[in-house]
Amino acid sequence: MENILFINACVRPESRTYRLAQEVLKKLNGKKEEVCLFQENIPALDLELLEKRNRLLQERNFSDPMFRYAGQFAAADDIVIAAPYWDLAFPSVLRIYLEHVTVTGVTFQYTPEGIPEGLCRAKRIIYVTTAGGPVGNQNLGYDYVKSLAGTFYGIPDVLCFKAENLDIVGADVDGILQDAVRDIRLASL
């Protein structure tokens, strides 16, 4: 059975991003596990936590709970990220989560030549976002996730589903969302 990891970076209960992500999840078969980032209380990597992490990495001791997100991420067969488009990217809680996921020896390793080599099982990440205004080519959140996937995690495919211009005066919000849902339903996932 496929392990599907759903990373939920949506803060609002009525989140439009969350609604679109649910459409993606309906198309995926397997055991679904959700990490609701705003409920997890993941600490930023301050000096104390970074020193602890470095010490554990030196010891190759990955049993500490601080590595649970990295282990869960590495073991997933499919990863869905729901992140609203904030300030050209995504909510900061997703960045903190990704710092906890990007762990040498769990989600990637370095070759003898110093090149990152992915250790993740997933073959794709599906990134879902919505925006009040136009996203255009400024989707730095998606670009960041795509760069991490290819450079560190070894995940070759990163798809993006988005609905934009939702808060523009006079926008047909329902129509825009329905178009995004149609795109998801027509996609071969």
Side-chain angles (χ1 to χ4, degrees), residues 14-175:
E14 72 286 351
S15 169
R16 300 174 294 202
T17 305
Y18 183 83
R19 274 180 43 202
L20 290 183
Q22 291 305 304
E23 292 295 327
V24 170
L25 291 167
K26 283 181 200 173
K27 291 194 68 165
L28 303 178
N29 295 317
K31 178 182 160 227
K32 296 172 177 90
E33 185 173 6
E34 181 176 350
V35 178
C36 188
L37 297 181
F38 283 99
Q39 294 175 4
E40 290 291 313
N41 199 23
I42 304 170
L45 291 176
D46 61 12
L47 180 59
E48 181 182 338
L49 199 54
L50 193 58
E51 286 176 344
K52 175 184 176 182
R53 176 177 159 147
N54 288 342
R55 180 178 40 76
L56 292 169
L57 289 175
Q58 286 276 51
E59 298 168 1
R60 301 208 41 87
N61 177 3
F62 302 113
S63 63
D64 190 277
M66 78 180 313
F67 298 121
R68 81 176 182 96
Y69 298 111
Q72 181 184 49
F73 192 93
D77 295 304
D78 257 327
I79 299 167
V80 177
I81 299 174
Y85 185 75
W86 288 6
D87 304 327
L88 302 179
F90 46 63
S92 61
V93 69
L94 180 55
R95 169 73 172 141
I96 291 169
Y97 169 82
L98 291 170
E99 286 178 352
H100 282 265
V101 162
T102 309
V103 176
T104 309
V106 180
T107 53
F108 78 101
Q109 63 189 4
Y110 287 108
T111 66
E113 299 78 29
I115 299 168
E117 178 178 65
L119 299 175
C120 295
R121 187 163 62 195
K123 297 296 178 232
R124 69 179 171 190
I125 293 175
I126 303 168
Y127 188 86
V128 181
T129 192
T130 58
V135 173
N137 294 328
Q138 292 292 317
N139 196 344
L140 303 179
Y142 167 72
D143 292 340
Y144 179 69
V145 168
K146 187 174 180 177
S147 292
L148 282 175
T151 303
F152 286 103
Y153 308 145
I155 300 174
D157 196 14
V158 183
L159 307 173
C160 182
F161 292 102
K162 65 183 177 184
E164 56 188 317
N165 296 316
L166 294 169
D167 296 337
I168 303 296
V169 174
D172 177 10
V173 174
D174 289 334

